[in-house]
Amino acid sequence: LYGVCRGNSGLCGSSCGENKVRRKINKNTADIEILPSTLRREIRKEMYTMIAIGCDHGGFVLKQEIIKFLESAGYEYEDFGTYSEESCDYPVYAKKVAHAVADGKCEKGIIICGTGIGVSIVANKVKGIRAALVHDCFSAKATREHNDANVITMGARVIGPGLATEIVKIFLETPFSNDERHIRRISQIED
Ligand code: RB5
């Protein structure tokens, strides 16, 4: 991954006003975190073309909190609904997010319902989806490193917005380990 200076990002150390590739940047959280926020946004756009997010009525309020985080951190996202706390059916929204990721329209997905369970069951039925129900930071990191999870699900009736946001941050920033044993095991998941 390379940083692209667009004149005001400060990447090249001055306002050159040109699109120049100046410096190699590791796809590594620590490296990215020390960069100015404008540049972090640019890099994240390169890293994650689009995040798919969705919820049912039980997850609506938490989804809005997560969206606030995505916006402040510079992630691009597509919100697949639902868009209010009016009662609805979680499979509808879980399928929308899962298909957006499976079809390659979005790179990763976040789905929230009351428990996180229903949406995780639905998402994991979509071919190519590895959805992890996550309510702690350790699992968020581990499921990226070991399972290369491309969707996380959470329950808004289980955890609060602070922890949920930390989990999302870890999920989006942790790379897959690429270890041979994990690649082998993931390849055994699908028929
Ligand atoms: C809705 O009441 C609730 O069943 C749903 O949000 C989810 O928890 C299902 O797994």
Side-chain angles (χ1 to χ4, degrees), residues 11-24:
L11 182 63
C12 66
S14 66
S15 288
C16 65
E18 297 170 25
N19 276 359
K20 282 186 184 167
V21 174
R22 287 297 178 110
R23 183 180 145 195
K24 192 173 181 189

Side-chain angles (χ1 to χ4, degrees), residues 5 11 64 76 186:
C5 182
L11 182 63
Q64 300 315 108
E76 288 197 289
I186 290 167

Side-chain angles (χ1 to χ4, degrees), residues 32-147:
I32 290 168
E33 288 309 311
I34 60 167
L35 296 170
S37 59
T38 46
L39 183 51
R40 279 206 305 267
R41 286 195 186 100
E42 289 295 311
I43 291 166
R44 281 178 175 140
K45 280 181 189 170
E46 299 282 331
M47 287 168 71
Y48 306 113
T49 37
M50 191 69 82
I51 307 298
I53 187 164
C55 66
D56 72 354
H57 54 286
F60 173 72
V61 173
L62 182 55
K63 183 190 68 163
Q64 300 315 108
E65 288 294 319
I66 300 300
I67 284 175
K68 270 191 221 160
F69 161 73
L70 293 177
E71 286 177 351
S72 70
Y75 288 103
E76 288 197 289
Y77 65 90
E78 184 162 348
D79 182 357
F80 288 90
T82 187
Y83 304 109
S84 76
E85 289 185 273
E86 191 179 327
S87 182
C88 64
D89 298 333
Y90 63 82
V92 172
Y93 303 95
K95 281 181 192 173
K96 286 183 189 205
V97 171
H99 284 293
V101 175
D103 297 347
K105 184 178 176 193
C106 297
E107 184 169 329
K108 285 184 183 147
I110 302 162
I111 325 175
I112 305 162
C113 65
T115 59
I117 298 169
V119 291
S120 125
I121 292 170
V122 174
N124 275 312
K125 287 195 174 290
V126 175
K127 193 171 170 55
I129 294 302
R130 292 178 300 281
L133 169 57
V134 175
H135 287 137
D136 67 278
C137 295
F138 173 81
S139 302
K141 185 165 181 282
T143 199
R144 285 290 311 127
E145 290 174 342
H146 293 211
N147 317 121

